[in-house]
Amino acid sequence: MSYYENLVVCYFSGTGNSLSAVNWIKENADKQNLKTQLCSIEKKETTDLSAINGKTLVGFCYPTHGFIAPWIVLKYLWKFPKIKNADAFFLNTRGGAILYKLSIPGLSGLAQWFSIFLFLLKGYGIKGSLPLDMAHSWISFFPPINKAGINRITKNCNRIVNKMCDKMFSGKIYLRYNIWLSLPIDIALTPIIFLYVFGGRFVLAKTLFASYGCNTCRLCEENCPVQAIVIKDNRPYWKITCESCMRCMNICPKKSIQSWVTRMALITYLLMVLGLALFKIDANLLFFIISCLFFPIYWIIFWSLRIKFVNIIFTFTSLTKLWGRYIAPGITLKNLKRKNL
Ligand SMILES: Cc1cc2nc3c(=O)[nH]c(=O)nc-3n(C[C@H](O)[C@H](O)[C@H](O)COP(=O)(O)O)c2cc1C
Ligand code: SF4
Ligand code: SF4
């Protein structure tokens, strides 16, 4: 029998990792006859406060982006109301990796701490904190982990979530040891978090492009959680509002979405070296100017990709052309869009 009467889980998930955690939490809640309500942050669903009576546990599950919760989640958390008699927990999924047989954990930065402090200020009791190292989904930067590794990581995460639920649902506090272990690194990452939230994420939004294999099926446009893709001239165009959740890149049936992030890094490096040699200006200012230049550069690239030859060259020099894609095991597009949960 659970200590709580109601469970509300609000979640955002680009590629299904955080949604898997939500499903595991729901399975545990069902076993304990907890009345559960799921709120999709992507669909801007909110809790019906009037329907909640009695002891309530409110949970938030989301990925880590740039060492903090994604912008869409930050806005949701900020506006989330106080519920009478409610406690809260936070579960941020992170990008885990495997090097040979060694599991490499992700890094939370402030993805836990910011949420915890915000909800303490709102008057909630904090009942759980879990950074969960799922198989990473950052396909625009790194190749996916192999299937055996993904299954191993997923099984282990399921076990950890079950443990968390056992403890929290009985009214005890569950704070996973790794939130303390990485605390000094998490705090040291604060300047990078600011750079990401106020600049880097807009540049990242411009790293994706549709290669010549795209048949304008519009699946990416229809399934973007923040409507950041528009079809221009029969090809997807990424708006600055993209959350870099990686869903479009991983669901494209033609595997046509590529990233030019490695070339972007190389161009930045070359422009920095050239700029510093030619002009005697501050390196930070130069970096800022070069970052701003990416928006007109992206626009030029987008239009020049209409030329098949340019597109083919661009596609075959993209590292992402070489590797596979990732959606969490057992999760489908329907689940992500909550058509069938
Ligand atoms: C743009 C972007 C930024 C990321 N930043 C981090 C990070 O700072 N730390 C980390 O551990 N994982 C990071 N990741 C990995 C994701 O947090 C991880 O894959 C997560 O489980 C994805 O969850 P989802 O499938 O629910 O979207 C990042 C992924 C992306 C796409
Ligand atoms: S999902 Fe792929 S093929 Fe379909 S429109 Fe998007 S990029 Fe093109
Ligand atoms: S454009 Fe793609 S990566 Fe960006 S938010 Fe939409 S689905 Fe996610």
Coordinates of all heavy atoms in Angstrom, one line a residue, residues 114-187:
F114 N 18.9 22.8 -10.1 CA 18.0 24.0 -10.4 C 16.6 23.6 -10.0 O 15.9 24.4 -9.4 CB 18.2 24.4 -11.8 CG 17.2 25.5 -12.2 CD1 17.6 26.8 -12.0 CD2 16.0 25.2 -12.8 CE1 16.7 27.9 -12.3 CE2 15.1 26.3 -13.2 CZ 15.5 27.6 -12.9
S115 N 16.1 22.4 -10.5 CA 14.7 22.0 -10.3 C 14.4 21.9 -8.8 O 13.4 22.3 -8.3 CB 14.5 20.7 -11.0 OG 15.0 20.8 -12.3
I116 N 15.4 21.2 -8.1 CA 15.2 21.0 -6.6 C 15.0 22.3 -5.9 O 14.1 22.5 -5.1 CB 16.4 20.2 -6.1 CG1 16.3 18.8 -6.6 CG2 16.4 20.2 -4.5 CD1 17.5 17.9 -6.2
F117 N 15.9 23.3 -6.2 CA 15.8 24.6 -5.5 C 14.6 25.3 -5.8 O 13.9 25.9 -5.0 CB 17.1 25.4 -5.8 CG 18.2 25.0 -4.9 CD1 19.4 24.5 -5.4 CD2 18.1 25.2 -3.5 CE1 20.4 24.1 -4.6 CE2 19.2 24.8 -2.7 CZ 20.3 24.2 -3.2
L118 N 14.2 25.3 -7.1 CA 13.0 26.0 -7.6 C 11.8 25.4 -6.8 O 10.9 26.2 -6.3 CB 12.8 25.8 -9.1 CG 11.6 26.5 -9.7 CD1 11.8 28.0 -9.6 CD2 11.5 26.1 -11.2
F119 N 11.7 24.1 -6.7 CA 10.5 23.5 -6.0 C 10.6 23.6 -4.5 O 9.5 23.6 -3.9 CB 10.3 22.1 -6.5 CG 9.5 22.1 -7.8 CD1 10.0 22.7 -8.9 CD2 8.2 21.6 -7.8 CE1 9.2 22.8 -10.1 CE2 7.4 21.7 -9.0 CZ 7.9 22.3 -10.1
L120 N 11.8 23.7 -4.0 CA 11.8 24.0 -2.5 C 11.3 25.4 -2.3 O 10.5 25.6 -1.3 CB 13.3 24.0 -2.0 CG 13.9 22.6 -1.8 CD1 15.3 22.6 -1.4 CD2 13.1 21.9 -0.6
L121 N 11.6 26.4 -3.2 CA 11.1 27.7 -3.0 C 9.6 27.8 -3.2 O 8.9 28.6 -2.6 CB 11.8 28.7 -4.1 CG 13.2 29.0 -3.8 CD1 13.8 29.8 -5.0 CD2 13.4 29.7 -2.5
K122 N 9.1 26.9 -4.1 CA 7.6 26.8 -4.3 C 6.9 26.2 -3.1 O 5.7 26.1 -3.1 CB 7.3 26.0 -5.6 CG 7.5 26.8 -6.9 CD 7.2 25.9 -8.1 CE 7.7 26.4 -9.4 NZ 6.6 27.2 -10.1
G123 N 7.7 25.6 -2.2 CA 7.1 25.0 -1.0 C 6.9 23.5 -1.0 O 6.2 22.9 -0.2
Y124 N 7.4 22.8 -2.0 CA 7.3 21.3 -2.1 C 8.3 20.7 -1.2 O 9.4 21.2 -1.0 CB 7.6 20.9 -3.6 CG 6.4 21.1 -4.5 CD1 6.3 22.3 -5.1 CD2 5.5 20.1 -4.8 CE1 5.2 22.6 -6.0 CE2 4.5 20.3 -5.7 CZ 4.4 21.6 -6.3 OH 3.3 21.8 -7.2
G125 N 8.0 19.5 -0.8 CA 8.9 18.6 -0.1 C 9.6 17.8 -1.2 O 9.0 17.4 -2.1
I126 N 10.9 17.7 -1.1 CA 11.6 16.9 -2.2 C 11.8 15.5 -1.7 O 12.4 15.2 -0.7 CB 13.0 17.5 -2.5 CG1 12.9 19.0 -2.9 CG2 13.7 16.8 -3.6 CD1 12.0 19.3 -4.1
K127 N 11.2 14.5 -2.5 CA 11.2 13.1 -2.1 C 12.1 12.3 -3.0 O 12.4 11.1 -2.6 CB 9.8 12.6 -2.2 CG 8.9 13.0 -1.0 CD 9.4 12.3 0.2 CE 8.8 13.0 1.4 NZ 8.7 12.1 2.6
G128 N 12.6 12.8 -4.1 CA 13.4 12.0 -4.9 C 14.2 12.8 -5.9 O 13.8 13.8 -6.4
S129 N 15.4 12.3 -6.2 CA 16.3 12.9 -7.1 C 17.1 11.8 -7.8 O 17.9 11.1 -7.1 CB 17.2 13.9 -6.4 OG 18.3 14.2 -7.2
L130 N 16.9 11.6 -9.1 CA 17.6 10.5 -9.8 C 18.2 11.0 -11.1 O 17.4 11.1 -12.1 CB 16.7 9.3 -9.9 CG 17.2 8.2 -10.8 CD1 18.5 7.6 -10.3 CD2 16.1 7.1 -10.9
P131 N 19.5 11.1 -11.3 CA 20.1 11.3 -12.6 C 20.3 9.9 -13.1 O 20.9 9.0 -12.5 CB 21.5 11.9 -12.3 CG 21.5 12.3 -10.8 CD 20.5 11.3 -10.2
L132 N 19.7 9.6 -14.3 CA 19.6 8.2 -14.8 C 20.4 8.1 -16.1 O 20.1 8.8 -17.1 CB 18.2 7.8 -15.1 CG 17.9 6.4 -15.3 CD1 18.1 5.5 -14.1 CD2 16.4 6.2 -15.7
D133 N 21.4 7.3 -16.1 CA 22.3 7.2 -17.3 C 21.8 6.2 -18.3 O 22.2 5.0 -18.3 CB 23.7 6.8 -16.8 CG 24.3 8.0 -16.0 OD1 24.3 9.1 -16.5 OD2 24.8 7.7 -14.9
M134 N 21.0 6.7 -19.2 CA 20.4 5.9 -20.3 C 21.4 5.9 -21.4 O 22.4 6.7 -21.4 CB 19.1 6.4 -20.8 CG 18.0 6.4 -19.7 SD 17.2 4.8 -19.5 CE 16.2 4.7 -20.9
A135 N 21.2 5.1 -22.5 CA 22.0 5.1 -23.7 C 21.9 6.5 -24.3 O 20.7 7.0 -24.5 CB 21.6 4.0 -24.6
H136 N 23.0 7.2 -24.6 CA 22.9 8.6 -25.1 C 22.1 8.6 -26.5 O 22.1 7.7 -27.3 CB 24.3 9.2 -25.2 CG 24.9 8.9 -26.6 ND1 24.7 9.7 -27.7 CD2 25.7 7.9 -27.0 CE1 25.3 9.3 -28.7 NE2 26.0 8.2 -28.3
S137 N 21.5 9.8 -26.7 CA 20.8 9.9 -28.0 C 21.3 11.1 -28.8 O 20.7 11.6 -29.7 CB 19.3 10.2 -27.6 OG 19.2 11.5 -26.9
W138 N 22.5 11.6 -28.4 CA 23.1 12.8 -29.1 C 23.8 12.4 -30.4 O 25.0 12.4 -30.5 CB 24.0 13.5 -28.1 CG 24.2 14.9 -28.4 CD1 23.7 15.6 -29.5 CD2 24.8 15.9 -27.6 NE1 24.0 16.9 -29.5 CE2 24.7 17.2 -28.3 CE3 25.4 15.9 -26.4 CZ2 25.2 18.3 -27.8 CZ3 26.0 17.1 -25.9 CH2 25.8 18.3 -26.6
I139 N 22.9 12.0 -31.3 CA 23.4 11.4 -32.6 C 24.1 12.4 -33.5 O 24.9 12.0 -34.3 CB 22.3 10.6 -33.3 CG1 21.7 9.6 -32.4 CG2 22.7 10.0 -34.6 CD1 22.6 8.5 -31.9
S140 N 23.8 13.6 -33.3 CA 24.5 14.6 -34.2 C 25.9 14.8 -33.8 O 26.8 15.3 -34.5 CB 23.8 16.0 -34.1 OG 23.8 16.5 -32.8
F141 N 26.3 14.3 -32.6 CA 27.7 14.4 -32.1 C 28.4 13.1 -32.1 O 29.6 13.0 -32.5 CB 27.8 15.0 -30.7 CG 27.9 16.5 -30.6 CD1 26.8 17.3 -30.9 CD2 29.1 17.1 -30.4 CE1 26.9 18.7 -30.9 CE2 29.3 18.4 -30.3 CZ 28.2 19.3 -30.6
F142 N 27.7 12.0 -31.6 CA 28.4 10.8 -31.3 C 27.6 9.6 -32.0 O 26.3 9.7 -32.0 CB 28.5 10.5 -29.8 CG 29.0 11.6 -29.0 CD1 28.2 12.4 -28.3 CD2 30.4 11.9 -29.1 CE1 28.7 13.4 -27.5 CE2 30.9 12.9 -28.3 CZ 30.0 13.7 -27.5
P143 N 28.3 8.5 -32.4 CA 27.5 7.4 -32.9 C 26.8 6.7 -31.8 O 27.2 6.8 -30.6 CB 28.6 6.5 -33.5 CG 29.9 6.9 -32.9 CD 29.7 8.4 -32.5
P144 N 25.7 6.0 -32.1 CA 24.9 5.3 -31.0 C 25.7 4.1 -30.4 O 26.6 3.6 -31.1 CB 23.7 4.8 -31.7 CG 24.0 4.8 -33.1 CD 25.1 5.8 -33.4
I145 N 25.4 3.8 -29.2 CA 26.0 2.6 -28.6 C 25.4 1.3 -29.3 O 24.3 1.4 -29.8 CB 25.6 2.5 -27.1 CG1 26.1 3.8 -26.4 CG2 26.1 1.3 -26.4 CD1 25.6 4.0 -25.0
N146 N 26.1 0.2 -29.3 CA 25.6 -1.0 -29.9 C 24.4 -1.6 -29.2 O 24.2 -1.2 -28.0 CB 26.7 -2.0 -30.1 CG 27.2 -2.5 -28.8 OD1 26.5 -2.8 -27.9 ND2 28.5 -2.6 -28.7
K147 N 23.7 -2.4 -29.9 CA 22.4 -3.0 -29.3 C 22.5 -3.6 -28.0 O 21.8 -3.4 -27.0 CB 21.8 -3.9 -30.3 CG 20.6 -3.4 -31.0 CD 19.7 -4.5 -31.5 CE 18.4 -3.9 -32.0 NZ 18.2 -3.8 -33.4
A148 N 23.6 -4.5 -27.8 CA 23.8 -5.2 -26.6 C 24.0 -4.2 -25.4 O 23.5 -4.4 -24.3 CB 25.0 -6.2 -26.7
G149 N 24.8 -3.2 -25.7 CA 25.1 -2.2 -24.7 C 23.8 -1.4 -24.3 O 23.6 -1.2 -23.1
I150 N 23.0 -1.1 -25.3 CA 21.8 -0.3 -25.1 C 20.9 -1.2 -24.2 O 20.3 -0.7 -23.2 CB 21.1 0.0 -26.4 CG1 21.8 1.0 -27.2 CG2 19.6 0.5 -26.1 CD1 21.3 1.3 -28.6
N151 N 20.8 -2.5 -24.5 CA 19.9 -3.4 -23.7 C 20.4 -3.5 -22.3 O 19.6 -3.5 -21.3 CB 19.8 -4.7 -24.3 CG 19.0 -4.7 -25.6 OD1 18.2 -3.7 -25.8 ND2 19.2 -5.6 -26.5
R152 N 21.7 -3.6 -22.1 CA 22.3 -3.7 -20.8 C 22.0 -2.5 -20.0 O 21.6 -2.5 -18.8 CB 23.8 -3.9 -20.9 CG 24.4 -4.5 -19.7 CD 25.9 -4.7 -19.8 NE 26.7 -3.5 -19.5 CZ 27.9 -3.2 -19.9 NH1 28.5 -4.1 -20.7 NH2 28.5 -2.1 -19.5
I153 N 22.3 -1.3 -20.6 CA 22.1 0.0 -19.9 C 20.6 0.1 -19.5 O 20.2 0.5 -18.4 CB 22.5 1.2 -20.8 CG1 24.0 1.2 -20.9 CG2 22.0 2.5 -20.2 CD1 24.6 2.3 -21.8
T154 N 19.7 -0.2 -20.4 CA 18.3 0.0 -20.2 C 17.8 -0.9 -19.1 O 17.0 -0.4 -18.2 CB 17.5 -0.3 -21.5 OG1 18.1 0.4 -22.6 CG2 16.0 0.1 -21.4
K155 N 18.2 -2.1 -19.0 CA 17.8 -3.1 -18.0 C 18.3 -2.5 -16.6 O 17.5 -2.5 -15.6 CB 18.5 -4.4 -18.2 CG 17.5 -5.6 -18.1 CD 18.2 -6.8 -18.6 CE 17.9 -8.0 -17.7 NZ 18.5 -9.2 -18.2
N156 N 19.5 -2.1 -16.6 CA 20.0 -1.5 -15.3 C 19.2 -0.3 -14.8 O 18.9 -0.2 -13.7 CB 21.5 -1.2 -15.5 CG 22.2 -0.9 -14.2 OD1 21.9 -1.5 -13.2 ND2 23.1 0.1 -14.2
C157 N 18.9 0.6 -15.8 CA 18.1 1.8 -15.5 C 16.7 1.4 -14.9 O 16.3 2.0 -14.0 CB 18.0 2.7 -16.7 SG 19.5 3.5 -17.1
N158 N 16.1 0.4 -15.5 CA 14.8 -0.1 -15.1 C 14.9 -0.5 -13.6 O 14.1 -0.2 -12.8 CB 14.4 -1.2 -16.0 CG 12.9 -1.6 -15.8 OD1 12.3 -1.2 -14.8 ND2 12.4 -2.4 -16.6
R159 N 16.0 -1.2 -13.3 CA 16.2 -1.7 -11.9 C 16.3 -0.5 -11.0 O 15.7 -0.5 -9.9 CB 17.5 -2.6 -11.9 CG 17.7 -3.4 -10.7 CD 19.0 -4.1 -10.7 NE 20.2 -3.2 -11.1 CZ 20.8 -2.4 -10.3 NH1 20.4 -2.3 -9.0 NH2 21.8 -1.7 -10.7
I160 N 17.1 0.5 -11.4 CA 17.3 1.7 -10.5 C 16.0 2.4 -10.3 O 15.7 2.8 -9.2 CB 18.4 2.6 -11.1 CG1 19.7 1.9 -11.2 CG2 18.5 3.9 -10.3 CD1 20.7 2.6 -12.0
V161 N 15.2 2.6 -11.3 CA 13.9 3.3 -11.2 C 13.0 2.5 -10.3 O 12.3 3.1 -9.4 CB 13.3 3.5 -12.6 CG1 11.8 4.0 -12.5 CG2 14.1 4.5 -13.4
N162 N 12.9 1.2 -10.4 CA 12.1 0.4 -9.5 C 12.5 0.6 -8.0 O 11.6 0.7 -7.2 CB 12.3 -1.1 -9.8 CG 11.6 -1.5 -11.1 OD1 10.9 -0.7 -11.7 ND2 11.9 -2.7 -11.7
K163 N 13.8 0.7 -7.8 CA 14.3 0.9 -6.5 C 13.8 2.3 -5.9 O 13.4 2.4 -4.8 CB 15.8 0.9 -6.5 CG 16.5 0.2 -5.3 CD 17.9 0.0 -5.6 CE 18.8 0.4 -4.4 NZ 20.2 0.4 -4.7
M164 N 13.9 3.3 -6.8 CA 13.5 4.6 -6.4 C 12.0 4.6 -6.1 O 11.6 5.2 -5.0 CB 13.7 5.6 -7.6 CG 13.3 7.0 -7.3 SD 13.2 8.0 -8.8 CE 13.5 9.6 -8.2
C165 N 11.2 3.9 -6.9 CA 9.8 3.9 -6.7 C 9.4 3.2 -5.4 O 8.6 3.7 -4.6 CB 9.0 3.2 -7.8 SG 9.1 4.2 -9.3
D166 N 10.1 2.1 -5.1 CA 9.8 1.3 -3.9 C 10.0 2.3 -2.7 O 9.2 2.3 -1.8 CB 10.9 0.2 -3.7 CG 10.4 -1.0 -4.4 OD1 9.3 -1.0 -4.9 OD2 11.2 -2.0 -4.6
K167 N 11.1 3.0 -2.7 CA 11.4 3.9 -1.6 C 10.4 5.1 -1.5 O 9.9 5.3 -0.4 CB 12.9 4.4 -1.7 CG 13.5 4.6 -0.4 CD 15.0 4.4 -0.4 CE 15.4 4.7 1.1 NZ 16.9 4.9 1.1
M168 N 10.3 5.8 -2.6 CA 9.4 7.0 -2.6 C 8.0 6.7 -2.3 O 7.3 7.4 -1.5 CB 9.5 7.7 -3.9 CG 10.7 8.6 -4.1 SD 10.6 9.6 -5.6 CE 9.8 8.5 -6.8
F169 N 7.5 5.6 -2.9 CA 6.0 5.3 -2.7 C 5.7 4.9 -1.3 O 4.6 4.9 -0.8 CB 5.6 4.3 -3.7 CG 5.6 4.7 -5.1 CD1 5.4 3.8 -6.2 CD2 5.8 6.1 -5.5 CE1 5.5 4.2 -7.5 CE2 5.8 6.5 -6.8 CZ 5.7 5.6 -7.8
S170 N 6.8 4.5 -0.5 CA 6.6 4.1 0.9 C 6.8 5.3 1.8 O 6.8 5.2 3.0 CB 7.5 3.0 1.3 OG 8.8 3.4 1.2
G171 N 7.0 6.5 1.1 CA 7.1 7.8 1.9 C 8.5 8.2 2.3 O 8.7 9.2 2.9
K172 N 9.5 7.3 1.9 CA 10.9 7.7 2.2 C 11.5 8.5 1.1 O 11.0 8.6 0.0 CB 11.7 6.4 2.4 CG 11.2 5.6 3.6 CD 12.1 4.4 3.8 CE 11.5 3.4 4.7 NZ 11.6 2.0 4.3
I173 N 12.6 9.1 1.5 CA 13.3 10.0 0.5 C 14.3 9.1 -0.3 O 15.1 8.3 0.3 CB 14.0 11.2 1.2 CG1 13.0 12.1 1.9 CG2 14.9 12.0 0.2 CD1 13.6 13.2 2.7
Y174 N 14.4 9.3 -1.6 CA 15.4 8.6 -2.4 C 16.2 9.7 -3.1 O 15.8 10.3 -4.0 CB 14.7 7.7 -3.4 CG 15.7 7.0 -4.3 CD1 16.2 5.7 -4.0 CD2 16.2 7.6 -5.5 CE1 17.1 5.0 -4.7 CE2 17.2 6.9 -6.3 CZ 17.6 5.6 -5.9 OH 18.5 5.0 -6.7
L175 N 17.5 9.8 -2.7 CA 18.4 10.7 -3.4 C 19.6 9.8 -3.8 O 20.3 9.3 -3.0 CB 18.9 11.8 -2.5 CG 17.9 12.7 -1.8 CD1 18.6 13.7 -0.8 CD2 17.1 13.5 -2.8
R176 N 19.7 9.7 -5.1 CA 20.8 8.7 -5.6 C 22.2 9.3 -5.3 O 22.4 10.6 -5.4 CB 20.7 8.5 -7.1 CG 21.5 7.3 -7.5 CD 21.0 6.6 -8.7 NE 22.0 5.8 -9.3 CZ 22.3 4.6 -9.0 NH1 21.7 4.0 -8.0 NH2 23.2 3.9 -9.6
Y177 N 23.1 8.4 -4.9 CA 24.4 8.9 -4.4 C 25.1 9.8 -5.5 O 25.9 10.7 -5.1 CB 25.3 7.7 -4.1 CG 25.7 6.8 -5.3 CD1 26.8 7.1 -6.0 CD2 24.9 5.8 -5.7 CE1 27.1 6.4 -7.1 CE2 25.2 5.0 -6.8 CZ 26.3 5.3 -7.5 OH 26.6 4.6 -8.6
N178 N 24.8 9.6 -6.8 CA 25.6 10.3 -7.8 C 25.3 11.8 -7.8 O 26.1 12.6 -8.4 CB 25.6 9.7 -9.2 CG 24.2 9.5 -9.7 OD1 23.2 9.9 -9.0 ND2 24.0 8.8 -10.8
I179 N 24.2 12.2 -7.2 CA 24.0 13.7 -7.2 C 25.0 14.4 -6.3 O 25.3 15.5 -6.5 CB 22.5 14.1 -6.9 CG1 22.2 13.9 -5.4 CG2 21.5 13.5 -7.8 CD1 21.0 14.7 -5.0
W180 N 25.4 13.6 -5.2 CA 26.4 14.2 -4.3 C 27.8 14.1 -4.9 O 28.7 15.0 -4.8 CB 26.4 13.5 -2.9 CG 25.0 13.5 -2.3 CD1 24.2 12.5 -2.1 CD2 24.3 14.7 -1.9 NE1 23.0 12.9 -1.5 CE2 23.1 14.2 -1.4 CE3 24.6 16.0 -1.8 CZ2 22.1 15.1 -0.9 CZ3 23.6 16.9 -1.3 CH2 22.4 16.4 -0.9
L181 N 28.1 12.9 -5.5 CA 29.4 12.6 -6.0 C 29.9 13.6 -7.1 O 31.0 14.0 -7.1 CB 29.3 11.2 -6.7 CG 30.5 10.3 -6.6 CD1 30.9 10.0 -5.2 CD2 30.3 9.0 -7.4
S182 N 28.9 14.0 -7.9 CA 29.4 14.9 -9.0 C 29.1 16.4 -8.7 O 29.3 17.3 -9.6 CB 28.7 14.6 -10.3 OG 27.3 14.7 -10.1
L183 N 28.7 16.7 -7.5 CA 28.4 18.1 -7.1 C 29.4 19.1 -7.5 O 29.1 20.1 -8.1 CB 28.0 18.2 -5.6 CG 27.5 19.5 -5.1 CD1 26.2 19.9 -5.9 CD2 27.2 19.4 -3.6
P184 N 30.7 18.9 -7.1 CA 31.7 19.9 -7.5 C 31.8 20.2 -9.0 O 31.9 21.3 -9.4 CB 33.1 19.3 -7.0 CG 32.7 18.3 -6.0 CD 31.3 17.8 -6.4
I185 N 31.7 19.1 -9.8 CA 31.8 19.2 -11.2 C 30.5 19.9 -11.7 O 30.6 20.8 -12.6 CB 31.9 17.9 -12.0 CG1 33.1 17.1 -11.4 CG2 32.0 18.0 -13.5 CD1 33.2 15.7 -11.9
D186 N 29.4 19.6 -11.2 CA 28.1 20.2 -11.6 C 28.1 21.7 -11.4 O 27.7 22.4 -12.2 CB 26.9 19.6 -10.7 CG 26.7 18.1 -11.1 OD1 27.1 17.7 -12.2 OD2 26.1 17.4 -10.3
I187 N 28.7 22.1 -10.2 CA 28.7 23.6 -9.9 C 29.7 24.2 -10.9 O 29.5 25.3 -11.4 CB 29.1 23.8 -8.5 CG1 27.9 23.3 -7.6 CG2 29.4 25.3 -8.2 CD1 28.2 23.3 -6.1

